[in-house]
Amino acid sequence: MSIDIDDDESSDILVRFPAAVRFIDSGLHPYGAAHEAKTGGDDTTATSTSSPKSGVYVHCAMGKSRSVSCVVAYLLYKYPHRFGGKQFIESPASTQRRRITAGEAVSSALQCVREARPGAEPNPGFMRQLELWWEMGCPADDDGVVERHPIYQKWLYDGMLQEARDMRMAPDAGQIRFEDEVRAREKEQDDETVTRTNGKEVRCKKCRRTLATPGFLLSHTPTGQAANSGCAHIFVDTLSWMRTALEDGALDGRLVCPNSKCSATVGRFAWQGLQCTCKQWVVPAFSLNRSRVDEVSSQPVGSSAIRMPPGRNGSL
């Protein structure tokens, strides 16, 4: 099996992992898995045998980044219990269990490879993609399973935004991702039960129109905890009520209340990012000004639906 890909941080190796790990597994266990192999370029090649002591030779130009990434992806896929199981491990500080981070899982698997290959060192872009692979649950049912995954789609979108920022341009209007619409589609496709926890809704101070429900509020603290109430900004996901402002193609501008009878200025957006009064940067930034909105405690949402911002479910 050959994978034609450059050893570049921006190269998409993540989408190749399902086919790669299935191929490696079929080589190591030829009598317990169907052998699947496709030919392509000549950069990263794995050759399997069918002898009783089967093995797979995984290599690239330097045996350092591309090939190591494929081997680490396989270890995470085949032996997840070695790196935290179902993403939980015992905390060394107590008897309680804590959630293992993707970074910890990937680093642990890479360390296993380094025991035999000390020079193993995937580039930073591949390390991030391995973390995403773990967060996805290492899906490998078919070649397209990663492409269909919401985490992968969000990663591609973030990459597109980065390219736009590098060129000092707003993203193309047709490519903007509105999180409330995306989640609604995902729920329709998966038909899964989603429960929102208690939190605070953000409403326009002037007309009381709901602007964002708890599931669409973004933390911008280094620890990921709730933002300090002293921050002047409340950062939220890109929501469909912002469509008119964002599709004009401006790099930054005002956000106004979607209530046509109000149209009060409630915040601002900046594709290049904004710095909060707490000195933290958020990129891209969709900010609601705390002096222009109210934060109201929200009741738990039923398990049968995702609570959406106004305009998505007919609520005020």
Side-chain angles (χ1 to χ4, degrees):
M1 178 182 188
S2 296
I3 298 176
D4 185 9
I5 188 172
D6 293 328
D7 183 17
D8 185 275
E9 291 186 32
S10 63
S11 294
D12 184 356
I13 198 172
L14 176 56
V15 76
R16 311 297 187 98
F17 285 158
V21 301
R22 292 200 317 274
F23 181 85
I24 293 173
D25 200 47
S26 70
L28 294 177
H29 309 285
Y31 305 111
H35 183 80
E36 296 181 33
K38 295 181 180 179
T39 59
D42 58 2
D43 282 320
T44 303
T45 306
T47 304
S48 73
T49 66
S50 57
S51 64
K53 293 184 179 180
S54 298
V56 180
Y57 177 43
V58 186
H59 68 89
C60 57
M62 300 297 293
K64 180 179 179 180
S65 182
R66 288 167 290 185
S67 57
V68 171
S69 296
C70 289
V71 173
V72 171
Y74 178 74
L75 293 176
L76 295 172
Y77 158 77
K78 189 68 174 181
Y79 309 106
H81 57 283
R82 297 184 181 180
F83 313 109
K86 295 180 179 179
Q87 298 191 8
F88 284 92
I89 59 174
E90 296 294 338
S91 169
S94 69
T95 58
Q96 296 180 342
R97 294 169 70 83
R98 67 181 178 84
R99 184 173 294 277
I100 187 173
T101 67
E104 290 173 319
V106 172
S107 294
S108 181
L110 177 58
Q111 187 56 42
C112 288
V113 177
R114 283 175 174 163
E115 292 176 7
R117 181 74 172 177
E121 191 68 43
N123 70 55
F126 289 178
M127 287 292 288
R128 176 54 185 151
Q129 292 177 59
L130 284 165
E131 292 174 3
L132 295 174
W133 172 246
W134 175 260
E135 291 173 4
M136 292 178 184
C138 305
D141 294 341
D142 59 73
D143 290 356
V145 66
V146 164
E147 290 182 281
R148 299 191 298 269
H149 202 286
I151 289 178
Y152 176 77
Q153 293 170 1
K154 181 64 164 60
W155 175 70
L156 286 182
Y157 178 70
D158 289 340
M160 182 273 292
L161 292 184
Q162 181 61 57
E163 290 181 6
R165 287 195 296 272
D166 291 344
M167 294 185 291
R168 301 190 63 81
M169 296 174 57
D172 183 86
Q175 295 181 307
I176 297 176
R177 172 185 169 110
F178 297 102
E179 288 299 321
D180 49 339
E181 295 179 344
V182 171
R183 294 188 197 178
R185 288 196 299 268
E186 290 172 357
K187 180 182 179 298
E188 291 174 358
Q189 293 170 2
D190 296 339
D191 195 25
E192 291 182 349
T193 297
V194 179
T195 303
R196 294 294 178 204
T197 57
N198 282 320
K200 290 187 176 181
E201 292 185 350
V202 181
R203 299 178 181 176
C204 173
K205 188 182 288 289
K206 183 177 179 181
C207 71
R208 308 294 293 167
R209 177 71 176 264
T210 298
L211 301 173
T213 49
F216 297 96
L217 303 183
L218 301 179
S219 170
H220 63 285
T221 63
T223 60
Q225 298 177 352
N228 190 311
S229 59
C231 293
H233 303 275
I234 301 173
F235 293 96
V236 300
D237 281 315
T238 319
L239 301 173
S240 56
W241 61 263
M242 305 173 185
R243 190 185 307 274
T244 301
L246 301 184
E247 291 186 342
D248 283 344
L251 274 173
D252 54 65
R254 296 186 306 156
L255 292 175
V256 300
C257 176
N259 182 351
S260 59
K261 296 181 179 180
C262 175
S263 298
T265 298
V266 293
R268 57 180 298 204
F269 71 90
W271 289 108
Q272 300 282 34
L274 288 173
Q275 185 179 34
C276 183
T277 51
C278 67
K279 305 304 181 183
Q280 294 296 322
W281 274 90
V282 178
V283 183
F286 304 92
S287 163
L288 300 178
N289 193 315
R290 258 200 170 88
S291 65
R292 301 293 185 92
V293 298
D294 289 324
E295 298 173 75
V296 182
S297 295
S298 173
Q299 296 298 320
V301 179
S303 60
S304 61
I306 295 178
R307 184 123 181 228
M308 291 296 163
R312 300 300 302 168
N313 60 3
S315 62
L316 294 176

